[in-house]
Amino acid sequence: MLEDFIQFVRKENLFQADQKILLAVSGGIDSVIMAKLFSLAKFNFGIAHVNFSLRGEESLADEVFVKKMAKTLKVPYYTICFDTKAFAEKEKLSTQMAARILRYDWFEEIRQKEGYDFIATAHHQMDSAETVLMNLSRGSGLAGFHGIPIKNGHIIRPMAFANQEQIFDFVVSQKLAWREDSSNASTKYQRNFIRHEIIPKFIELHPHFEQSVAQSSAKIASIEKWMQAEFQIWKQERCQLDAQGNLFVQLTDKDLAEKEEVMRQQLLLAYHFTADAMGHILEAGDQQVGKIFESPSHTLNIDRQQWVISPKDQSEFKPILVDEEAEEVDLGHQILHIDFGENEKGFTPPTGSHVACLDAETLHFPLEIRKYQEGDWFCPLGMNQKKLISDFLTDKKVPLNLKKNVQLVLSKGSVVWVMGHRIDNRNKVTDKTEGLCILTLENKHVASRASATE
């Protein structure tokens, strides 16, 4: 399989040997195999893992598994925890669609920030066949018939050559361990329903169904590739991106010709607008000035002879990153102050729910601040065993409506402080502590009053 993998990368010109590739690794069998192949081929890569906070302790165990794998492979590791349910509820999305939007946006952030050339996902032939059937059910047009593209901008699929038999043979020969996502068995998700209920029927009719779909998709993909080239020319002529990420799209044609309509559809698809929304936007043209349409990730405003497409702020669903140089962090109604000092003789760590006095040597920056999720745990100060934070908050009789808003400070994925409650025992100040990191919460109205009296 290694040789097939290397040949496929070269044949499809996915990337050059000296380029940096960011691998999206969930911990499942496909992404584990992809990481192993990249390692055996001695390519330059890093690993990115997303915790969607959907499966409690199982999600946390996936994160630990991937982190250990990255350490074993001696490659850079990046992780993030999203409040996926909140994002899905706000945007009225399925959890799978919400997760897709959040993860790809974050992957692109890491790619740009860390200097990676491409983002690699582990989609293979069966994934592509599932996608074709899903797209057909949604009426997605020509692009839907080619399944998952092998290369799309900065996204590449170096496993697209592989079928199910190759995957299982490789994992056995390499004696690889992987994590099984329990939600994959549930047919309440459309992809799983197609995987478990529909595709087996096709395989009964035609045993080589996935290979046949792959061959058909490749033929259609060549047509769509030509169309994408036309689309890029159209974008260069009509679209302008500003420094804030706002896209200005010039609408020069009064009558919407077929080619123009197709180009606009392609653009709207890239910004996650639904088929219904696209229909209304195209019908409106440039006549309904001031009309606003929304996708989960962007807002489109019809202006004078142009569309203005602007990104939505999704920061509330992402952790706040705290650099070592930061002196304070704005948390909305509160301010978090960060101070460093030395553990001088006679020093007594400050106490109180609003302050965390930590051993600086136990911390790894940037720290993360995010809301607590089901499955999060820590070792409360004074205890040497772990405790679920939900149980800790229940024991403290924190009301349910306040419990869901409790914030955590994390270092390399481990909780160091349940803010406003207790620090982790592993980060406490001891006789051996040399450097201190003191985090202090202050209500904004108190801070304002204090500054007014200075």
Side-chain angles (χ1 to χ4, degrees), residues 52-53 81-88 102 316-317 371 373:
F52 293 109
S53 307
C81 181
F82 285 119
D83 192 345
T84 310
K85 284 185 178 178
F87 178 64
L102 289 171
E316 63 182 293
F317 310 108
K371 288 183 179 179
Q373 302 286 344

Side-chain angles (χ1 to χ4, degrees), residues 29 37 87 113 179 184 249 296 329 336 347 381 398:
I29 185 171
L37 287 169
F87 178 64
K113 182 180 178 181
R179 293 281 301 170
N184 285 339
V249 186
V329 179
L336 179 68
F347 172 79
L381 182 64
V398 176

Side-chain angles (χ1 to χ4, degrees), residues 30 124-127 130 162-169 195 210-211:
D30 305 328
H124 50 75
Q125 285 186 5
M126 186 58 79
D127 291 317
E130 293 167 0
N163 57 40
Q164 295 283 75
E165 185 178 353
Q166 288 174 295
I167 286 169
F168 286 113
D169 285 348
R195 178 180 302 160
E210 61 179 313
Q211 291 94 327

Side-chain angles (χ1 to χ4, degrees), residues 193-205 209:
F193 180 79
I194 289 172
R195 178 180 302 160
H196 299 303
E197 301 292 338
I198 304 300
I199 285 183
K201 301 297 183 183
F202 277 101
I203 293 176
E204 284 181 20
L205 291 171
F209 170 71

Side-chain angles (χ1 to χ4, degrees), residues 312-330:
K312 287 184 176 179
D313 180 10
Q314 296 175 352
S315 59
E316 63 182 293
F317 310 108
K318 301 179 183 179
I320 298 170
L321 299 182
V322 182
D323 293 325
E324 196 166 1
E325 295 78 20
E327 296 180 356
E328 62 179 43
V329 179
D330 190 332

Side-chain angles (χ1 to χ4, degrees), residues 157-408:
R157 274 89 186 198
M159 294 280 290
F161 71 95
N163 57 40
Q164 295 283 75
E165 185 178 353
Q166 288 174 295
I167 286 169
F168 286 113
D169 285 348
F170 184 78
V171 80
V172 170
S173 67
Q174 295 291 319
K175 300 179 181 178
L176 297 176
W178 72 91
R179 293 281 301 170
E180 193 64 53
D181 185 341
S182 61
S183 67
N184 285 339
S186 173
T187 55
K188 73 177 183 178
Y189 300 115
Q190 185 184 36
R191 181 175 288 276
N192 289 351
F193 180 79
I194 289 172
R195 178 180 302 160
H196 299 303
E197 301 292 338
I198 304 300
I199 285 183
K201 301 297 183 183
F202 277 101
I203 293 176
E204 284 181 20
L205 291 171
H206 184 44
H208 301 292
F209 170 71
E210 61 179 313
Q211 291 94 327
S212 297
V213 172
Q215 291 168 2
S216 298
S217 295
K219 295 172 184 176
I220 295 171
S222 62
I223 300 172
E224 213 264 334
K225 188 181 292 184
W226 166 80
M227 192 178 77
Q228 282 297 319
E230 291 289 305
F231 176 58
Q232 293 305 319
I233 294 171
W234 180 86
K235 276 182 66 177
Q236 289 174 8
E237 294 175 347
R238 301 294 188 85
C239 302
Q240 186 173 356
L241 192 68
D242 69 11
Q244 287 71 46
N246 302 305
L247 188 74
F248 297 85
V249 186
Q250 300 304 314
L251 307 177
T252 59
D253 297 316
K254 292 294 182 183
D255 298 320
L256 201 59
E258 287 184 2
K259 178 180 177 181
E260 179 70 15
E261 182 174 359
V262 170
M263 295 299 106
R264 294 184 190 182
Q265 284 178 341
Q266 286 295 115
L267 183 72
L268 294 172
L269 277 171
Y271 291 99
H272 309 115
F273 286 94
T274 64
D276 285 344
M278 284 193 292
H280 292 305
I281 293 169
L282 293 172
E283 184 179 341
D286 62 351
Q287 302 304 305
Q288 300 182 28
V289 175
K291 183 77 173 177
I292 291 177
F293 299 89
E294 293 193 359
S295 80
S297 58
H298 289 77
T299 299
L300 183 149
N301 177 35
I302 297 178
D303 198 15
R304 296 169 184 80
Q305 293 191 318
Q306 68 176 353
W307 291 340
V308 182
I309 303 177
S310 55
K312 287 184 176 179
D313 180 10
Q314 296 175 352
S315 59
E316 63 182 293
F317 310 108
K318 301 179 183 179
I320 298 170
L321 299 182
V322 182
D323 293 325
E324 196 166 1
E325 295 78 20
E327 296 180 356
E328 62 179 43
V329 179
D330 190 332
L331 299 176
H333 296 298
Q334 293 178 306
I335 295 174
L336 179 68
H337 298 279
I338 302 107
D339 297 292
F340 292 92
E342 296 181 2
N343 187 21
E344 298 175 348
K345 187 176 181 180
F347 172 79
T348 301
T351 58
S353 61
H354 69 291
V355 63
C357 188
L358 309 169
D359 185 334
E361 293 299 317
T362 66
L363 304 179
H364 300 273
F365 286 82
L367 301 178
E368 292 183 13
I369 300 175
R370 64 166 172 82
K371 288 183 179 179
Y372 125 84
Q373 302 286 344
E374 288 296 329
D376 285 331
W377 61 270
F378 78 137
C379 297
L381 182 64
M383 296 175 59
N384 288 317
Q385 67 253 31
K386 72 178 186 179
K387 188 179 185 73
L388 286 173
I389 291 173
S390 57
D391 292 343
F392 169 78
L393 296 173
T394 299
D395 292 345
K396 290 201 67 179
K397 297 182 171 52
V398 176
L400 281 175
N401 61 328
L402 299 181
K403 189 175 179 180
K404 66 180 182 180
N405 292 320
V406 169
Q407 300 257 60
L408 309 178

Side-chain angles (χ1 to χ4, degrees), residues 124-143:
H124 50 75
Q125 285 186 5
M126 186 58 79
D127 291 317
S128 192
E130 293 167 0
T131 301
V132 168
L133 295 180
M134 287 176 66
N135 289 338
L136 286 173
S137 69
R138 294 170 178 165
S140 60
L142 178 64

